[in-house]
Amino acid sequence: MVAFSKIAVAALAGFAAAHPGEKRDEQKMKREIVARDHHARNGARSLAKCGDADYAKALKTRSIQRRVEKVQSLRKERGIKSAARKDKRTLEDLEAYEAINHNMTGTSDNGIFTPLEEVFSADTSCILAPYVTDGPYYVAGELIRSNVREADFTEGVDLYLEVQYIDINTCQPLPKVAVDIWNCNATGTYSGVESGQGGLNTTFLRGVQLSDHDGVVQFETIFPGHYDGRAIHTHLLSHTGASFESNGTIGVFDAAVAHIGQLFWPDDLREQVESTYPYTDNTQALTTNDEDMWSILQADENFDPIPEYVYLGDSIEDGLFAWIQIGINGSADYTDDDYYGIAAYLAEDGGHSTGYTVGGGSGGDAGGNGTAPTGTGAMPTGAAPTSA
């Protein structure tokens, strides 16, 4: 079980200030740590039983090659000639996950990653926790796209994120998982919702993809900024059994919620990113990883919410490539859990609020988990806004 430090208790005591509308009971959150530890241990044991199977090794080989080719392609596309930055960070002992060196950057004489095994074949991170809150800002019906950057409000350090979903029961990849991604922009603002955010009709830094035959989705986004009450994080939410709608979107309202998660980023990496524009214009209060209530809940020796990453060049402004492997129970469904809620949905006639607030149920015409009201507009077409 994760130990509760004085810092952790203090962070939990201030949970009401995290997201506007996010309300959590401290004692319930403590109980969830015990439950997550139990699930993580069981998941780790399951993966250990099949991790040496031939098909698991073949999957790993394909993953190495895919990541290498992607990074090389990104470097060529961006015209990066300098050697990729090598900057092994000092191991920290603040939390269990911070004792893992996630910066896998390496260089060779010709500026290409070498040896490949040292960079991409190390065991990637696995989040074995079954879920963690999606926060009050999940929007259903988002645009099907891999590039979630748009012409407005998305300036910042480019982040190319690969997420691979593995079934902990079989070590097999999970194809056709509908994966939503969303995070705030460089100055701490979310799209798609109200409550002082970007507004219901904005879509920047949000999108959904179906995982391929190797359980992989890839997104082009930016490194998120910070805002009052939360450490920097990227949201992921996964549905299994999702259907394609006639208008080209992914229907998730009748699909199973297989995983709700948040990815976190090292504080030293955040410091480098936030020394650049437009992060320097962010005036909101900063919360570090060890002060964040959900990173404490999510971190354990059996799972790790920080992706591996490499610098694409010798400057942070050249961008980052990050990857993580997430072990989930492919037959699980957390639709009815109070950690899952739909704050808004995007339809052809724009965005609609459900009135959902975390831990507080929902208001207006919404159901208990923020189900989209009927009769207020069809789900959206798949046309994406102009990308930056």
Side-chain angles (χ1 to χ4, degrees):
M1 186 174 109
V2 176
F4 265 77
S5 65
K6 291 182 180 179
I7 291 177
V9 173
L12 289 172
F15 62 86
H19 284 291
E22 185 167 4
K23 303 173 183 177
R24 285 297 172 200
D25 178 80
E26 180 181 335
Q27 295 304 316
K28 183 174 186 260
M29 292 171 72
K30 290 181 179 180
R31 292 192 296 270
E32 287 300 326
I33 289 180
V34 178
R36 285 193 175 88
D37 284 345
H38 173 73
H39 284 290
R41 286 192 295 270
N42 288 343
R45 283 195 292 268
S46 295
L47 283 176
K49 291 179 180 178
C50 54
D52 289 331
D54 288 342
Y55 61 82
K57 293 178 180 178
L59 178 65
K60 184 174 182 178
T61 298
R62 293 196 300 274
S63 297
I64 294 169
Q65 189 61 36
R66 180 184 60 253
R67 292 165 190 151
V68 170
E69 291 175 355
K70 182 63 176 180
V71 168
Q72 291 175 336
S73 173
L74 289 170
R75 285 171 54 82
K76 181 178 180 180
E77 175 186 319
R78 297 170 72 88
I80 298 173
K81 303 296 184 181
S82 61
R85 179 173 174 179
K86 182 175 182 180
D87 185 17
K88 296 287 186 179
R89 67 186 179 93
T90 303
L91 300 184
E92 299 169 344
D93 197 28
L94 291 174
E95 301 290 345
Y97 66 84
E98 285 187 326
I100 299 173
N101 186 0
H102 298 273
N103 181 353
M104 299 298 294
T105 300
T107 60
S108 71
D109 292 340
N110 61 7
I112 302 300
F113 296 110
T114 184
L116 298 181
E117 292 75 16
E118 184 177 331
V119 178
F120 288 113
S121 69
D123 289 336
T124 55
S125 309
C126 270
I127 298 177
L128 299 176
Y131 53 78
V132 73
T133 180
D134 63 358
Y137 297 152
Y138 171 54
V139 176
E142 286 294 350
L143 302 166
I144 301 175
R145 55 182 180 175
S146 60
N147 186 354
V148 299
R149 299 170 301 182
E150 297 182 5
D152 297 320
F153 312 118
T154 60
E155 189 174 359
V157 172
D158 290 332
L159 172 65
Y160 301 86
L161 178 65
E162 175 190 293
V163 184
Q164 184 174 45
Y165 288 87
I166 303 294
D167 194 322
I168 61 173
N169 300 307
T170 64
C171 290
Q172 296 277 12
L174 286 166
K176 298 182 180 179
V177 176
V179 182
D180 276 89
I181 187 174
W182 71 100
N183 56 258
C184 67
N185 70 2
T187 53
T189 299
Y190 282 91
S191 69
V193 289
E194 297 175 307
S195 301
Q197 302 300 311
L200 290 171
N201 292 320
T202 56
T203 57
F204 59 86
L205 302 177
R206 291 181 180 270
V208 60
Q209 285 277 290
L210 280 179
S211 62
D212 66 13
H213 64 283
D214 274 341
V216 172
V217 290
Q218 293 182 337
F219 290 100
E220 299 177 37
T221 182
I222 66 165
F223 194 90
H226 71 264
Y227 55 90
D228 189 11
R230 291 300 315 276
I232 284 180
H233 59 283
T234 300
H235 290 271
L236 293 171
L237 194 148
S238 306
H239 288 89
T240 53
S243 60
F244 270 106
E245 300 296 314
S246 59
N247 59 2
T249 61
I250 296 175
V252 299
F253 291 105
D254 296 322
V257 178
H259 180 263
I260 307 170
Q262 297 176 15
L263 305 182
F264 294 86
W265 304 92
D267 282 320
D268 59 344
L269 179 62
R270 185 259 311 156
E271 289 174 358
Q272 293 180 50
V273 171
E274 292 202 319
S275 67
T276 66
Y277 177 82
Y279 300 91
T280 49
D281 283 350
N282 191 340
T283 60
Q284 299 196 55
L286 174 67
T287 299
T288 61
N289 280 336
D290 60 302
E291 296 168 335
D292 184 88
M293 57 182 179
W294 286 114
S295 64
I296 292 168
L297 274 174
Q298 201 172 6
D300 180 81
E301 65 272 13
N302 289 308
F303 54 88
D304 177 5
I306 296 182
E308 309 286 351
Y309 64 92
V310 296
Y311 296 82
L312 292 177
D314 59 2
S315 167
I316 192 69
E317 293 173 295
D318 288 328
L320 296 162
F321 174 76
W323 71 99
I324 193 165
Q325 188 182 76
I326 300 181
I328 65 175
N329 184 344
S331 60
D333 186 4
Y334 301 104
T335 302
D336 294 330
D337 196 280
D338 66 355
Y339 282 175
Y340 173 63
I342 301 170
Y345 66 98
L346 187 63
E348 289 180 345
D349 61 346
H352 298 265
S353 173
T354 67
Y356 171 82
T357 57
V358 174
S362 57
D365 298 324
N369 67 339
T371 302
T374 58
T376 52
M379 296 303 285
T381 64
T386 302
S387 297

